[in-house]
Structure formats: C-alpha cells, structure tokens
C-alpha cells in the first residue's frame, strides 16, 4: 500500500449541518437544502466504498432538531422515510450494512418499521457500514451508557471501582465500531 492509502481513515463521521443556510443563500426553500444534502449522500457512500472506508457515520438528526419549526421537522422525517424507501435496496445490493443509533422513542411507528427493515435486510453486509444517528446526542449516549452500567452494578456484575474510561466507552452506541478517525461538519462555518 502507498503512504496515502495507509492514511485512509477507517471510520468517517459527517455532521450534516448547514443545508437550511445553503438553501436560504440560494433563495430556495429550506426543504430544498435538505433534499440537496440527501442527494449528496449517494456520492459520499460511493466514495467511501471506492476508498475502502469501513464505517460512515451520518449525524443526520440531533435531539436538538426537535426544537425546529414543526413543518421543518415533518419535512425532515418525510425525507428520511423517502430516502429509506428509495435507497435501501440499492445499499443492500452494494453490500452496505445500515445501522441506526439514537433514541427511537419520538419516531413514528411507520418510520421505525422502515428502520428495522433496513437493519434486518442489511445486517450481514460487509462492504461498508453506514450508521445513521437519528434523535441522537452525545449526552443521550452518555445517559444510556450510565443506565446500562448502573444496571450492571445493581446486578452485581460490575463493582463501582471497576467503572473507568474503558467501561464507559464499552457502553456507548458505537462501542463495537470505535470512534471516528475523521469528523466532517458540512456547514462551512
């Protein structure tokens, strides 16, 4: 392998931000910016496959995004659902495994079924893992890890003195994948 190939990251994370600001600068509706962002995903996935990236994590909808106007949230959820309908078979055919992290408590049942179908359909694929963070935040992830560790302490499987960085990390959403080697925020800010 060449020196450049040796330096290819194994796990890339993209914080999908700035689509609304881009749309406003173009003089088009915010929803058009979100659609443009989704359209770019196809190119990103293909590029990751081409460069043999193992994992692509997309921070697509943060917990804070629920504070956006209801119409925008609804449009984002519809776009997400449409993306799954349109692309899941293509992703599967290309050997892409799809996973979701984040809370599922606030998502519509119909969307949850599509997410579960995508995960089930692609569970054995190995060409690339695409992790979509939906209704996710770092604080949420830490809370979930803390609850899990607390249960282990209460059941006697873990002693309080055993709690350290490694144990906490092992309970985070991406514990089996590892932290990203490169994180890109698309906002341009």
């Amino acid at each position: 392998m060449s020196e450049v190939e040796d330096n290819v990251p194994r796990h890339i994370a993209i914080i999908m931000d700035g689509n609304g600001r881009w749309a406003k600068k173009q003089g088009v509706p915010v929803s058009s910016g979100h659609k443009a962002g989704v359209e770019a995903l196809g190119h990103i996935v293909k590029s990751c496959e081409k460069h043999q990236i193992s994992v692509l994590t997309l921070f697509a909808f943060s917990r804070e995004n629920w504070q956006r106007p209801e119409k925008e949230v609804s449009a984002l959820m519809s776009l997400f659902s449409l993306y799954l309908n349109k692309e899941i078979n293509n992703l599967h055919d290309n050997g892409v495994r799809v996973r979701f992290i984040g809370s599922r408590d606030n998502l519509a049942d119909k969307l949850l079924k599509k997410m579960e179908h995508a995960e089930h359909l692609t569970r054995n694929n190995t060409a690339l893992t695409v992790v979509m963070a939906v209704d996710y935040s770092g604080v949420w992830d830490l809370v979930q890890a803390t609850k899990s560790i607390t249960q282990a302490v209460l059941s006697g499987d873990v002693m309080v003195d055993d709690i350290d960085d490694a144990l906490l990390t092992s309970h985070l959403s991406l514990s089996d994948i590892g932290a990203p080697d490169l994180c890109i925020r698309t906002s341009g800010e």
Side-chain angles (χ1 to χ4, degrees), residues 25-96:
K25 285 182 182 177
Q26 305 303 313
V28 297
V30 170
S31 60
S32 295
H34 295 306
K35 286 178 187 171
V38 168
E39 289 171 10
L41 287 180
H43 301 293
I44 293 167
V45 169
K46 282 184 174 123
S47 183
C48 286
E49 290 171 324
K50 177 183 173 187
H51 295 287
Q52 299 179 330
I53 306 298
S54 298
V55 181
L56 172 64
T57 296
L58 302 167
F59 291 93
F61 188 86
S62 73
R63 291 186 67 76
E64 293 78 17
N65 287 156
W66 291 112
Q67 305 306 312
R68 291 178 180 217
E70 188 176 330
K71 185 177 179 182
E72 184 178 355
V73 170
S74 179
L76 284 167
M77 290 297 141
S78 293
L79 188 59
F80 181 41
S81 182
L82 182 67
Y83 177 79
L84 288 176
N85 282 344
K86 184 179 172 189
E87 293 298 326
I88 193 59
N89 288 329
N90 184 43
L91 292 168
H92 178 56
D93 291 344
N94 287 303
V96 176

Side-chain angles (χ1 to χ4, degrees), residues 132-163:
M132 294 185 194
V134 180
D135 197 4
Y136 176 88
S137 76
V139 171
W140 173 87
D141 207 357
L142 289 171
V143 168
Q144 300 313 304
T146 301
K147 286 179 179 180
S148 178
I149 292 168
T150 301
Q151 285 299 321
V153 169
L154 291 174
S155 70
D157 295 332
V158 172
M159 302 303 293
V160 171
D161 290 339
D162 294 335
I163 300 171

Side-chain angles (χ1 to χ4, degrees), residues 177-189:
I177 293 176
D181 302 305
L182 173 66
C183 184
I184 302 165
R185 186 175 187 132
T186 61
S187 68
E189 292 186 345

